[in-house]
């Protein structure tokens, strides 16, 4: 009797525990609120600098009232809230979705602008992870993508309120991409690959002629041609350098080219190798 009594008691405890777990695992379905309430809650969260909370309310509104009075405004606000939350990938996706679903909307220019901004900010955020190194030292793929998206936006909506800011960022991006090309060119010079360095410098001269990187690109071209023993071409590029930059720091008082100074590990000596580069 004692054994059966204990077994029944144990079974009762297990059953009750399972019942409690089952009840606690059930998701409580929140009752739907009026559409305006979700929208107002989202606006309040944005005003209080709580973008994550705003995103939740805006998504709740969209799921419950996909064709409601505030649905379109909520889609635009969602892009902004995601940007404020630094969720640039989600903001980019939301902007593209708005463009696809509302191509004729009065505020579609904002969506195009924010799509480019999300790429721009994403690239900027990625660069900042590298101990605040010069952005030009990082991969330029995202910078190029942001530039193209800004260019697409300004071509479609040249009179948009956001166009001046987009054009200013395009100028900055051109400078960054050009400087990135120079960083790569210096890397190739360091690795004794003058032909590859030459190609990078010519890329800047041909495609980014209005940037501040052209002077240095011409200097790299001269250096590369000298390394390749192409004296005539080196002199031609030197003449272009002196003509366009008469006070260039790459030319001495006699008009001679000043060879670019490469880091010591470009041609390391014995001491460099045995100290693993700690002593030049």
């Amino acid at each position: 009797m004692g054994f059966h009594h204990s077994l029944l008691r144990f079974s009762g405890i297990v059953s009750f525990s399972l019942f409690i777990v089952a009840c606690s695992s059930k998701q409580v379905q929140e009752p739907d609120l009026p559409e305006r309430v979700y929208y107002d809650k989202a606006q309040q969260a944005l005003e209080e600098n709580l973008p994550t909370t705003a995103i939740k309310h805006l998504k709740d509104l969209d799921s419950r009232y996909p064709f409601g009075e505030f649905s379109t405004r909520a889609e635009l606000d969602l892009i902004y809230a995601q940007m404020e939350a630094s969720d640039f990938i989600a903001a980019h996706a939301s902007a593209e979705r708005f463009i696809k679903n509302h191509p004729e909307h009065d505020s579609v220019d904002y969506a195009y602008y924010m799509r480019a901004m999300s790429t721009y900010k994403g690239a900027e955020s990625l660069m900042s992870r590298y101990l605040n190194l010069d952005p030009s030292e990082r991969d330029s793929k995202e910078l190029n993508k942001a530039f193209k998206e800004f260019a697409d936006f300004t071509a479609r909506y040249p009179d948009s309120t956001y166009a001046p800011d987009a054009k200013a960022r395009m100028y900055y991006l051109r400078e960054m991409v050009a400087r990135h090309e120079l960083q790569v060119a210096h890397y190739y010079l360091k690795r004794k690959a003058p032909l590859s360095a030459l190609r990078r410098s010519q890329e800047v001269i041909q495609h980014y002629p209005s940037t501040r990187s052209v002077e240095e690109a011409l200097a790299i071209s001269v250096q590369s041609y000298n390394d390749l023993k192409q004296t005539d071409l080196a002199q031609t590029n030197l003449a272009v350098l002196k003509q366009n930059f008469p006070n260039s720091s790459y030319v001495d008082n006699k008009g001679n080219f000043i060879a670019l100074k490469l880091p010591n590990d470009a041609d390391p000596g014995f001491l460099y190798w045995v100290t693993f580069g700690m002593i030049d």
Side-chain angles (χ1 to χ4, degrees):
M1 289 294 293
F3 173 76
H4 290 291
H5 178 74
S6 299
L7 182 60
L8 289 172
R9 183 181 179 185
F10 176 75
S11 299
I13 293 173
V14 170
S15 299
F16 179 75
S17 300
L18 292 174
F19 174 76
I20 294 297
V21 171
C23 290
S24 62
S25 64
K26 286 185 178 180
Q27 294 184 350
V28 178
Q29 183 66 36
E30 295 182 1
D32 289 349
L33 300 174
E35 181 185 7
R36 181 71 194 228
V37 173
Y38 288 112
Y39 187 76
D40 288 344
K41 282 178 175 289
Q43 297 307 305
Q44 182 179 352
L46 288 174
E47 290 176 4
E48 295 175 356
N49 196 27
L50 299 171
T52 304
T53 302
I55 290 170
K56 178 184 180 303
H57 293 314
L58 291 167
K59 286 185 174 181
D60 285 343
L61 186 155
D62 181 65
S63 64
R64 289 170 169 80
Y65 303 96
F67 306 105
E69 178 185 357
F70 298 96
S71 61
T72 305
R73 275 186 280 177
E75 290 181 54
L76 291 169
D77 287 343
L78 179 61
I79 300 171
Y80 174 79
Q82 289 168 333
M83 287 287 290
E84 288 295 295
S86 298
D87 192 350
F88 305 119
I89 294 176
H92 192 276
S94 295
E96 289 205 319
R97 185 164 53 251
F98 187 92
I99 292 168
K100 179 180 179 181
N101 294 337
H102 310 283
E104 304 299 328
H105 193 275
D106 291 342
S107 298
V108 72
D109 63 321
Y110 175 78
Y112 274 99
Y113 170 74
M114 291 297 276
R115 181 183 68 169
M117 277 295 293
S118 64
T119 302
Y120 174 88
K121 288 292 185 180
E124 192 176 59
S125 176
L126 183 64
M127 293 168 193
S128 68
R129 299 177 192 176
Y130 295 90
L131 302 178
N132 294 320
L133 291 178
D134 188 333
S136 64
E137 297 181 12
R138 306 272 62 86
D139 186 1
S140 64
K141 181 180 178 181
E142 289 300 302
L143 297 177
N144 275 308
K145 181 182 177 183
F147 182 88
K148 290 177 181 178
E149 289 179 343
F150 277 125
D152 182 36
F153 160 66
T154 55
R156 292 173 184 271
Y157 307 99
D159 300 323
S160 171
T161 305
Y162 312 104
D165 180 76
K167 291 175 182 177
R169 293 182 191 277
M170 287 173 67
Y171 176 82
Y172 171 79
L173 287 167
R174 285 179 66 86
E175 292 287 342
M176 287 298 99
V177 173
R179 287 173 60 187
H180 175 265
E181 293 296 323
L182 294 184
Q183 290 286 342
V184 178
H186 278 292
Y187 170 82
Y188 282 129
L189 284 178
K190 172 182 172 180
R191 295 300 178 189
K192 304 292 185 179
L195 183 58
S196 295
L198 177 64
R199 288 170 179 164
R200 293 290 184 161
S201 65
Q202 293 296 307
E203 179 76 14
V204 174
I205 295 168
Q206 293 173 14
H207 295 101
Y208 307 100
S210 61
T211 64
R212 291 172 291 178
S213 298
V214 172
E215 180 185 359
E216 188 174 349
L218 284 166
I220 292 174
S221 294
V222 175
Q223 180 74 59
S224 300
Y225 279 126
N226 280 333
D227 292 348
L228 291 166
K229 310 303 181 184
Q230 299 286 335
T231 307
D232 291 343
L233 291 172
Q235 288 300 313
T236 299
N237 279 263
L238 177 58
V240 175
L241 174 62
K242 290 191 288 187
Q243 180 181 352
N244 289 276
F245 302 95
N247 299 316
S248 175
S249 59
Y250 301 102
V251 180
D252 64 19
N253 294 331
K254 297 180 179 180
N256 298 316
F257 178 67
I258 301 174
L260 300 180
K261 186 177 180 180
L262 299 179
N264 290 324
D265 60 338
D267 189 17
F270 175 76
L271 188 60
Y272 176 89
W273 289 115
V274 297
T275 61
F276 299 98
M278 297 179 66
I279 301 177
D280 296 334

